Amino acid sequence: MSSSLPGGLSSRRSHRRPAMAKVYTHMTMSLDGYIADPEDGTGELFGWYDAGDVTVPSADEHWSFRVDANSAEMLREVLAGAGALVCGRRLFDLTNGWNDSHPIGAPVVVVTHNAPEDAAKWRRTTFVDGVAEGIARARDVAGDKHVSIASADIARQALDLGLVDEVYISLVPVLLGKGIPYFANLTGAPHRFDDPVVIQGKGATHLRYRVRR
């Protein structure tokens, strides 16, 4: 998923990123396109995080992953490259803001029309109004590292706004039938992607798509 960064951002301000920095979204997804069941449950999807014998520690000492070697390589790359994480208020509330210490190890930018009254206590979390503003603020926070989007609805809006560089999918061999979709109600579709980079893991196939401009 704290005091926000001081000052507002001018709409005319440049937010150019270094050539290697990117904005991406990574979700674990069922074969029929859902990232959670209707009650936000992920039990059918997150098994691959504990399906191997390679331990990948997170930035939070209370969390670590035990995955296969291929998945471990992918996770290490994601964890090492992240400079900021963007999510929505709903996910922030569901996770209690990850106690201000997201396992990815990066500061969090929450997109919301209504910042919590105790916003000042979240020292590594910034609250902003609007997806474009959230991505811009996250780019500033991340510097020369990457920006990760952790909420499906924020990812959808950012993709429609042309703000997403890559889409990561950890595809799990299960059909949920219904639930919360990764991408739904896109207004700018069709969105096109290059052929994926494929990493075969245990319990999940990891796909990385570069967005075509």
Side-chain angles (χ1 to χ4, degrees):
M1 109 111 322
S2 159
S3 59
S4 61
L5 293 179
L9 292 177
S10 167
S11 61
R12 296 183 180 180
R13 182 177 175 183
S14 173
H15 295 286
R16 294 181 182 275
R17 291 164 292 159
M20 297 302 292
K22 63 189 176 187
V23 176
Y24 71 91
T25 173
H26 174 223
M27 303 278 180
T28 296
M29 187 182 80
S30 67
L31 291 179
D32 49 352
Y34 297 108
I35 62 167
D37 66 27
E39 286 74 44
D40 293 300
T42 55
E44 293 286 349
L45 298 174
F46 281 8
W48 70 271
Y49 281 114
D50 193 35
D53 54 9
V54 180
T55 299
V56 179
S58 76
D60 185 338
E61 63 182 10
H62 299 99
W63 291 86
S64 64
F65 310 103
R66 289 185 57 81
V67 295
D68 63 278
N70 288 343
S71 296
E73 182 179 358
M74 184 274 294
L75 278 178
R76 290 190 188 104
E77 179 183 347
V78 168
L79 291 169
L85 181 136
V86 181
C87 72
R89 178 66 188 272
R90 182 170 177 272
L91 181 59
F92 175 82
D93 288 343
L94 283 171
T95 61
N96 191 36
W98 300 277
N99 295 316
D100 213 26
S101 180
H102 192 282
I104 207 169
V108 173
V109 176
V110 180
V111 177
T112 177
H113 297 305
N114 299 293
E117 294 183 359
D118 61 351
K121 86 171 189 178
W122 301 94
R123 297 185 179 277
R124 301 190 75 228
T125 303
T126 303
F127 299 92
V128 300
D129 187 355
V131 171
E133 176 79 352
I135 299 297
R137 186 69 64 93
R139 287 172 174 169
D140 279 355
V141 171
D144 60 357
K145 286 193 168 186
H146 306 314
V147 172
S148 174
I149 302 175
S151 292
D153 191 54
I154 303 301
R156 173 190 64 79
Q157 294 179 67
L159 187 62
D160 276 336
L161 289 169
L163 299 176
V164 177
D165 300 307
E166 292 185 358
V167 171
Y168 289 40
I169 298 171
S170 291
L171 189 66
V172 175
V174 64
L175 296 171
L176 293 183
K178 58 183 177 179
I180 299 173
Y182 195 169
F183 290 104
N185 302 316
L186 292 162
T187 61
H191 295 287
R192 298 179 176 85
F193 305 86
D194 292 342
D195 292 336
V197 174
V198 182
I199 298 175
Q200 182 58 60
K202 183 176 181 180
T205 301
H206 310 291
L207 308 169
R208 186 175 71 204
Y209 295 89
R210 183 177 296 277
V211 179
R212 288 186 183 177
R213 300 302 186 198

